[in-house]
Amino acid sequence: MAGFLQQVVEGLGAGAIYASMALALVLIYQFTGIVNFAQGELAMFSTYIAWQCVAAGLPFWAALALTLVVSFAGGMLIERLIIRPVEGAPELTIVIVTVGLFIFVNAAAGWIWTFLIKDFPNPFPQGALELGGVSVGFSTLGVLGVVALVMGLLYLLFQHTKIGLGMRAVATNPSSARLVGIRVGWTLALGWGLAATVGAVSGVLIAPLLFLEPNMMGGVLIYAFAAATLGGFDSPAGAVVGGVIVGVAETLAGAYVGFIGSDLKIGVPLVIILGVLLLRPQGLFGRAVVERA
């Protein structure tokens, strides 16, 4: 039993990171209807910025704060310069634009920082708590705490601020929001900036557990897509729940399903995506779209 609980705890830590990346995907989808295939690369680029700040001598948390500001501004700039010109274009066009952004950001990071693997500092102390035979690492607790803080701040933003209410109005009905005086264009840019900021948190949290190099977020993005698909692309809360479920499922499958092991765990999110799309396309918490003929 202790071994099973240990796997669950490790899955919760991984799932929290997947949840934060899935939340970034869901935020952009809610505001613009776009599935951003470059979200992982934007998070990776932000992580490099944090690494550069730490290498320049800034304390980790100061470097993270500066990175979040730069990421927010960068997300807004991408929306204004790259996404806005293709607003209203066919879906395939927008997909191609985000895939092109994926390739460009990946190449830019390799050109600036090279493709050599770099160590990324872990902000949390080494060691673990022993609870009933289950070891809970301080790093896992730190990741859970940071992700919970991000979720709490987003909840306060959307539920208790005028900016958040405006963003919810734009996500629900942009035309009506424009009629009541909300600046829809800038609100959409704000949504991209917010998603880039949340994605940056995900990248900074995962880098100490993996490694820092331009392709580090490829696998994480697949897990995030599975989490967003499972929870529902129009449900931020669903993205969080989906991330936790995907993280625990991946860890348990790797530990207890013999032919999967550590090598085939990447197949778990693919199976989840396929199963959800076949059985409940809107996800667990998403709303089905009904169109009248």
Side-chain angles (χ1 to χ4, degrees):
M1 187 63 180
F4 175 81
L5 293 177
Q6 184 67 56
Q7 296 299 324
V8 170
V9 168
E10 293 179 5
L12 289 175
I17 297 174
Y18 303 152
S20 63
M21 179 57 66
L23 186 59
L25 291 170
V26 167
L27 286 174
I28 288 181
Y29 184 82
Q30 266 203 312
F31 293 122
T32 64
I34 295 174
V35 177
N36 183 17
F37 290 94
Q39 191 67 58
E41 301 310 284
L42 297 178
M44 172 273 297
F45 200 90
S46 296
T47 306
Y48 266 110
I49 293 175
W51 175 84
Q52 191 68 67
C53 292
V54 172
L58 280 179
F60 178 88
W61 296 108
L64 176 60
L66 180 59
T67 298
L68 296 183
V69 172
V70 173
S71 299
F72 181 82
M76 292 188 69
L77 194 63
I78 288 172
E79 194 281 334
R80 302 296 293 185
L81 299 180
I82 299 176
I83 303 302
R84 182 64 55 84
V86 296
E87 184 180 9
E91 291 181 358
L92 181 59
T93 300
I94 298 176
V95 168
I96 293 172
V97 168
T98 60
V99 171
L101 183 60
F102 175 106
I103 296 171
F104 174 78
V105 173
N106 183 275
W111 178 63
I112 296 171
W113 290 288
T114 77
F115 285 88
L116 297 176
I117 293 176
K118 296 176 173 60
D119 290 327
F120 193 87
N122 193 331
F124 306 112
Q126 300 295 321
L129 292 176
E130 297 293 334
L131 301 173
V134 177
S135 178
V136 184
F138 293 128
S139 180
T140 299
L141 291 173
V143 167
L144 290 171
V146 170
V147 173
L149 176 62
V150 171
M151 306 309 171
L153 291 176
L154 288 176
Y155 174 81
L156 293 176
L157 172 66
F158 288 127
Q159 297 293 331
H160 299 288
T161 68
K162 292 181 65 174
I163 294 176
L165 292 175
M167 295 178 73
R168 290 169 58 196
V170 170
T172 303
N173 193 320
S175 299
S176 298
R178 186 176 285 108
L179 289 175
V180 298
I182 296 175
R183 301 179 65 181
V184 173
W186 281 107
T187 302
L188 295 177
L190 186 62
W192 272 79
L194 196 60
T197 304
V198 174
V201 172
S202 177
V204 168
L205 290 177
I206 195 67
L209 306 179
L210 297 176
F211 43 75
L212 180 59
E213 61 99 15
N215 298 309
M216 61 175 275
M217 296 300 291
V220 178
L221 187 62
I222 295 176
Y223 288 105
F225 269 118
T229 304
L230 178 60
F233 262 93
D234 58 354
S235 173
V240 176
V241 174
V244 172
I245 293 175
V246 169
V248 173
E250 171 225 4
T251 304
L252 292 178
Y256 295 107
V257 181
F259 70 91
I260 291 180
S262 60
D263 295 327
L264 294 179
K265 288 197 297 183
I266 193 66
V268 174
L270 298 178
V271 171
I272 291 175
I273 291 173
L274 181 61
V276 172
L277 292 179
L278 289 175
L279 301 176
R280 188 177 172 82
Q282 71 269 29
L284 297 176
F285 299 92
R287 292 168 295 181
V289 177
V290 179
E291 295 183 359
R292 293 183 178 179

